[in-house]
Amino acid sequence: MNSEKVIVRRALLGVSDKTGLVDFARALERRGVEIISTGGTKAALEKSGVRVRAVEDFTGSPEMLDGRVKTLHPKIHGGILARRSEAAHQAQMRQHGIEPIDLVVVNFYPFEETVAKSGVSIDEAIENIDIGGPTMVRAAAKNHDDVAVVVDPADYAEIAQEIEANGGAITAATRWSLARKAFARVTAYDCAISNYLGGHTGAPGEGPLGETFSLTMEREQPLRYGENPHQVGALYGNFLKIAEQLHGKELSFNNVVDISSAINLIIEFQNEPSAVVAILKHKHAVRCRRRRYAQGRMGQGFRHGSRFSLRRNNHRQSAVGPRFRGRRE
């Protein structure tokens, strides 16, 4: 991996989500960065007074096929993929008039948002499959030794600050982090497309579930350990949106399994008017107690149920951690 900083002299910007775009472009412009763009991104930047070089001028080829072919050109991908340390690459760039691109800022056509709409047609969904964007992102991420790639508007401010603090440069560590994030975004995008199309086979009698189904999830937090203390573990998905840790050690894998079982138990008793208390050990409810209570006396029902459960539980000494689970309205 190239440990050197990469000075950003030329950036290609092409985004569907224009959140923060103008401010980021202005930060690049203040550093003297040449900005290349096309389509709606170019129009938005020019409207805000940012100087932009059209992709068509950069490549010498016009946009064609109703915008389906804009950036799929050797001068774009050569400028992104060329290795700066390879003399042969540099010679070929000079031979073919290819200029280097140091920063790629791209997010994709909103496929996920499009197919989430009610009544969307298959043709409309397919028209929102981005081709050029993921291609540039993959190219830039592959060549992260020499190119930085940004796929998330939430990163604009931090990247602008780093460029300013480093005399116009982006560090190797940041480029590597951005490359990993870029590949993860491409994967999630492709999964969404594959899952949607998989449910539209057109075969008679086939339901919405395709031949394959793919998932991508972000890591929420590392776990204290995996299923056993010598193993590592991490929590992925949206678990922490439904469960909040109030105190105690960092969660382990077994804690998460116990909490998941407790949540399922709560759902099972969601219409129960009584106080419900349970002790869970290794994801099993070793004791579950219901107790009716007088109006306004829910807390008393919980306390009584808890004492009863502990008395009847043979493992009361190990009933610690996320073992108690109650339901109250």
Short mmCIF file of all heavy atoms in Angstrom, two decimals, residues 111 115 120-123 125-126 192-203 206-211:
data_model
loop_
_atom_site.label_atom_id
_atom_site.label_comp_id
_atom_site.label_asym_id
_atom_site.label_seq_id
_atom_site.Cartn_x
_atom_site.Cartn_y
_atom_site.Cartn_z
N PHE A 111 -31.85 3.61 -6.66
CA PHE A 111 -32.59 2.38 -6.95
C PHE A 111 -33.44 1.94 -5.76
O PHE A 111 -34.63 1.61 -5.91
CB PHE A 111 -31.63 1.25 -7.35
CG PHE A 111 -32.33 -0.04 -7.65
CD1 PHE A 111 -32.85 -0.28 -8.90
CD2 PHE A 111 -32.49 -1.02 -6.67
CE1 PHE A 111 -33.53 -1.47 -9.18
CE2 PHE A 111 -33.15 -2.20 -6.94
CZ PHE A 111 -33.67 -2.42 -8.20
N VAL A 115 -37.63 1.52 -5.91
CA VAL A 115 -38.41 0.27 -5.81
C VAL A 115 -39.22 0.22 -4.52
O VAL A 115 -40.11 -0.62 -4.38
CB VAL A 115 -37.50 -0.97 -5.92
CG1 VAL A 115 -36.82 -1.01 -7.28
CG2 VAL A 115 -36.47 -1.01 -4.79
N VAL A 120 -44.38 0.94 -8.52
CA VAL A 120 -43.29 1.17 -9.46
C VAL A 120 -43.24 0.02 -10.48
O VAL A 120 -43.44 -1.15 -10.13
CB VAL A 120 -41.94 1.30 -8.72
CG1 VAL A 120 -41.57 -0.01 -8.03
CG2 VAL A 120 -40.82 1.71 -9.67
N SER A 121 -42.98 0.35 -11.73
CA SER A 121 -42.91 -0.66 -12.78
C SER A 121 -41.50 -1.24 -12.86
O SER A 121 -40.53 -0.61 -12.43
CB SER A 121 -43.30 -0.07 -14.13
OG SER A 121 -42.31 0.86 -14.56
N ILE A 122 -41.40 -2.42 -13.44
CA ILE A 122 -40.09 -3.04 -13.62
C ILE A 122 -39.21 -2.20 -14.53
O ILE A 122 -38.00 -2.08 -14.32
CB ILE A 122 -40.24 -4.49 -14.15
CG1 ILE A 122 -38.89 -5.22 -14.12
CG2 ILE A 122 -40.85 -4.50 -15.54
CD1 ILE A 122 -38.43 -5.60 -12.77
N ASP A 123 -39.80 -1.56 -15.54
CA ASP A 123 -39.02 -0.72 -16.44
C ASP A 123 -38.45 0.49 -15.71
O ASP A 123 -37.30 0.89 -15.93
CB ASP A 123 -39.89 -0.25 -17.62
CG ASP A 123 -40.21 -1.37 -18.60
OD1 ASP A 123 -39.48 -2.38 -18.58
OD2 ASP A 123 -41.17 -1.24 -19.37
N ALA A 125 -37.81 0.66 -12.53
CA ALA A 125 -36.77 0.16 -11.63
C ALA A 125 -35.47 -0.05 -12.38
O ALA A 125 -34.39 0.36 -11.92
CB ALA A 125 -37.22 -1.14 -10.97
N ILE A 126 -35.54 -0.66 -13.54
CA ILE A 126 -34.34 -0.93 -14.32
C ILE A 126 -33.66 0.35 -14.77
O ILE A 126 -32.42 0.45 -14.79
CB ILE A 126 -34.68 -1.85 -15.51
CG1 ILE A 126 -34.97 -3.27 -15.00
CG2 ILE A 126 -33.54 -1.87 -16.54
CD1 ILE A 126 -35.44 -4.22 -16.06
N ALA A 192 -29.36 -5.01 -3.41
CA ALA A 192 -30.72 -4.47 -3.55
C ALA A 192 -31.28 -4.77 -4.94
O ALA A 192 -32.44 -5.15 -5.10
CB ALA A 192 -30.72 -2.97 -3.28
N ILE A 193 -30.45 -4.60 -5.95
CA ILE A 193 -30.88 -4.87 -7.33
C ILE A 193 -31.18 -6.35 -7.51
O ILE A 193 -32.23 -6.73 -8.05
CB ILE A 193 -29.81 -4.41 -8.33
CG1 ILE A 193 -29.64 -2.89 -8.27
CG2 ILE A 193 -30.15 -4.85 -9.75
CD1 ILE A 193 -28.42 -2.37 -9.01
N SER A 194 -30.26 -7.20 -7.07
CA SER A 194 -30.44 -8.64 -7.23
C SER A 194 -31.69 -9.13 -6.50
O SER A 194 -32.45 -9.95 -7.04
CB SER A 194 -29.20 -9.37 -6.71
OG SER A 194 -29.37 -10.77 -6.74
N ASN A 195 -31.91 -8.65 -5.27
CA ASN A 195 -33.07 -9.08 -4.50
C ASN A 195 -34.38 -8.65 -5.16
O ASN A 195 -35.35 -9.41 -5.20
CB ASN A 195 -32.99 -8.53 -3.08
CG ASN A 195 -31.87 -9.16 -2.27
OD1 ASN A 195 -31.37 -10.23 -2.61
ND2 ASN A 195 -31.47 -8.50 -1.21
N TYR A 196 -34.39 -7.43 -5.68
CA TYR A 196 -35.61 -6.93 -6.32
C TYR A 196 -35.91 -7.72 -7.60
O TYR A 196 -37.03 -8.20 -7.80
CB TYR A 196 -35.48 -5.45 -6.63
CG TYR A 196 -36.67 -4.89 -7.38
CD1 TYR A 196 -37.84 -4.56 -6.72
CD2 TYR A 196 -36.63 -4.73 -8.77
CE1 TYR A 196 -38.95 -4.07 -7.41
CE2 TYR A 196 -37.73 -4.24 -9.47
CZ TYR A 196 -38.88 -3.92 -8.79
OH TYR A 196 -39.97 -3.44 -9.48
N LEU A 197 -34.92 -7.85 -8.45
CA LEU A 197 -35.13 -8.54 -9.72
C LEU A 197 -35.42 -10.02 -9.49
O LEU A 197 -36.15 -10.65 -10.27
CB LEU A 197 -33.92 -8.37 -10.63
CG LEU A 197 -33.61 -6.93 -11.07
CD1 LEU A 197 -32.40 -6.91 -11.99
CD2 LEU A 197 -34.82 -6.30 -11.75
N GLY A 198 -34.85 -10.59 -8.42
CA GLY A 198 -35.10 -11.99 -8.12
C GLY A 198 -36.55 -12.28 -7.81
O GLY A 198 -37.02 -13.42 -7.98
N GLY A 199 -37.28 -11.27 -7.36
CA GLY A 199 -38.69 -11.44 -7.08
C GLY A 199 -39.59 -11.13 -8.25
O GLY A 199 -40.81 -11.05 -8.10
N HIS A 200 -39.00 -10.93 -9.43
CA HIS A 200 -39.78 -10.62 -10.64
C HIS A 200 -39.32 -11.53 -11.78
O HIS A 200 -38.85 -11.09 -12.82
CB HIS A 200 -39.59 -9.15 -11.03
CG HIS A 200 -40.19 -8.19 -10.06
ND1 HIS A 200 -39.59 -7.91 -8.85
CD2 HIS A 200 -41.33 -7.46 -10.10
CE1 HIS A 200 -40.34 -7.04 -8.20
NE2 HIS A 200 -41.40 -6.76 -8.93
N THR A 201 -39.45 -12.84 -11.54
CA THR A 201 -39.00 -13.80 -12.55
C THR A 201 -39.95 -13.87 -13.74
O THR A 201 -39.54 -14.25 -14.84
CB THR A 201 -38.88 -15.20 -11.94
OG1 THR A 201 -40.18 -15.63 -11.52
CG2 THR A 201 -37.94 -15.18 -10.73
N GLY A 202 -41.19 -13.54 -13.52
CA GLY A 202 -42.18 -13.64 -14.60
C GLY A 202 -42.73 -15.04 -14.78
O GLY A 202 -43.62 -15.26 -15.62
N ALA A 203 -42.22 -15.98 -14.01
CA ALA A 203 -42.70 -17.37 -14.14
C ALA A 203 -44.06 -17.51 -13.48
O ALA A 203 -44.28 -16.95 -12.40
CB ALA A 203 -41.69 -18.33 -13.50
N GLU A 206 -44.92 -18.08 -9.41
CA GLU A 206 -43.78 -17.78 -8.55
C GLU A 206 -44.08 -16.55 -7.71
O GLU A 206 -44.62 -15.56 -8.20
CB GLU A 206 -42.51 -17.56 -9.38
CG GLU A 206 -41.96 -18.83 -9.97
CD GLU A 206 -40.43 -18.83 -9.95
OE1 GLU A 206 -39.85 -17.90 -9.39
OE2 GLU A 206 -39.84 -19.77 -10.49
N GLY A 207 -43.74 -16.62 -6.45
CA GLY A 207 -43.98 -15.52 -5.54
C GLY A 207 -42.87 -14.49 -5.59
O GLY A 207 -42.01 -14.52 -6.48
N PRO A 208 -42.84 -13.57 -4.62
CA PRO A 208 -41.87 -12.47 -4.64
C PRO A 208 -40.48 -12.85 -4.16
O PRO A 208 -39.60 -12.00 -4.15
CB PRO A 208 -42.51 -11.45 -3.69
CG PRO A 208 -43.28 -12.29 -2.72
CD PRO A 208 -43.81 -13.45 -3.52
N LEU A 209 -40.29 -14.11 -3.78
CA LEU A 209 -38.97 -14.53 -3.28
C LEU A 209 -38.18 -15.18 -4.40
O LEU A 209 -38.62 -16.15 -5.01
CB LEU A 209 -39.13 -15.50 -2.10
CG LEU A 209 -39.93 -14.95 -0.91
CD1 LEU A 209 -40.02 -15.99 0.19
CD2 LEU A 209 -39.29 -13.67 -0.38
N GLY A 210 -36.99 -14.63 -4.66
CA GLY A 210 -36.19 -15.11 -5.77
C GLY A 210 -35.34 -16.31 -5.44
O GLY A 210 -35.39 -16.85 -4.33
N GLU A 211 -34.53 -16.72 -6.42
CA GLU A 211 -33.66 -17.89 -6.23
C GLU A 211 -32.57 -17.64 -5.21
O GLU A 211 -32.08 -18.57 -4.56
CB GLU A 211 -33.02 -18.27 -7.57
CG GLU A 211 -34.01 -18.69 -8.65
CD GLU A 211 -34.46 -17.50 -9.50
OE1 GLU A 211 -34.26 -16.33 -9.07
OE2 GLU A 211 -35.00 -17.73 -10.60
#
